[in-house]
Amino acid sequence: MKGPLFYSKILLFGEYGIIKDSKGLSIPYSFYNGALKTDKNLSEKAKTSNESLKRFVDYLENVDENLVTFDITALKQHVEEGMYFDSSIPQGYGVGSSGALVAAIYDKYAQDKITVLENLTREKLLKLKTIFSTMESFFHGKSSGLDPLNSYLSIPILINSKDNIEATGIPAQQTDGKGGVFLLDSGITGETAPMISVFMEKMKQEGFRSMLKNQFIKYTDACVDDFLKGDVKSLFSNTKSLSKVVLNHFKPMIPKQFHALWQKGIETNDYYLKLCGSGGGGYILGFTEDIEKAKQSLSNYKLEVVYNF
């Protein structure tokens, strides 16, 4: 028995900024996915997932009923029978492993759920985001709810601000395009909660807050606008500026061994790196005007192209 598939996601722009009302753009990434599954004989990995689900169910029992209610009886029974989340989505990689699980649980067990097929008004999207934020907080301590929203709807989501999100279309990929967006595997697992703590600590400094508003959010918003308009020239100029700001001000979120590689991209213009999710490990997101050049420049690393310009 296997439920419907839920995909991983990539937040192209907006990491950290969306906590402070920057724009953001999140797209589904179908290369990785997961589904609820039940087996009599569980592997070690499935057992770990099943145990985690037991704790998650206890948490969901105490969620405000005015926000969302679940068929807890069925959910408990299925977890007792050996239900787990069968997923190829790497954990701690910034591509939404807990988001896909949250989406799968909501899809199967929420009562009066908002479905993908109805007219998705802004109110409905915000309600879903609030529900998912509450559900996913179990895993991260604080969640925007965007990862599960993206996974659940499987369409690109444009974040204009905290209270203003919409489903959006993105320019069609140029299959023969030279440029692209890629994922670079850092080979290290990142933990979201500690990174968010570092960020919140930095937010206590006046200088950091002003940099966030005047540089980080400014360039993030510009990148989102450029990407949606298909203005590739301006996009690369703004992504380069964003990459510099991140290297200068978000060093703790970038694994040490990637500091020089990050700088090299800015100096050579072969590629520009940015955080994918909260950082600290997992994937690093790269933008390049020439995929082949980037591959040569990063020949010691495995690149996965996720979008072509």
Side-chain angles (χ1 to χ4, degrees), residues 213-232:
K213 181 165 169 257
N214 300 322
Q215 293 177 46
F216 187 79
I217 289 179
K218 177 183 137 187
Y219 293 126
T220 295
D221 287 1
C223 284
V224 171
D225 292 341
D226 290 341
F227 189 90
L228 291 175
K229 284 200 303 244
D231 187 342
V232 177

Side-chain angles (χ1 to χ4, degrees), residues 53-68:
L53 273 179
K54 283 178 184 163
R55 293 190 296 276
F56 190 36
V57 175
D58 293 341
Y59 171 82
L60 293 179
E61 263 195 296
N62 298 308
V63 167
D64 182 356
E65 287 186 356
N66 294 319
L67 181 63
V68 60

Side-chain angles (χ1 to χ4, degrees), residues 165-184:
I165 55 175
E166 56 186 295
T168 188
I170 57 174
Q173 296 203 50
Q174 307 296 324
T175 37
D176 52 353
K178 273 175 72 177
V181 183
F182 60 85
L183 293 174
L184 186 152

Side-chain angles (χ1 to χ4, degrees), residues 183-232:
L183 293 174
L184 186 152
D185 189 345
S186 72
I188 315 157
T189 303
E191 288 278 330
T192 301
M195 292 294 116
I196 299 275
S197 301
V198 169
F199 175 76
M200 289 308 188
E201 201 50 45
K202 280 176 166 287
M203 282 300 287
K204 292 176 183 171
Q205 303 159 19
E206 174 63 45
F208 186 82
R209 287 201 302 274
S210 130
M211 173 282 303
L212 198 77
K213 181 165 169 257
N214 300 322
Q215 293 177 46
F216 187 79
I217 289 179
K218 177 183 137 187
Y219 293 126
T220 295
D221 287 1
C223 284
V224 171
D225 292 341
D226 290 341
F227 189 90
L228 291 175
K229 284 200 303 244
D231 187 342
V232 177

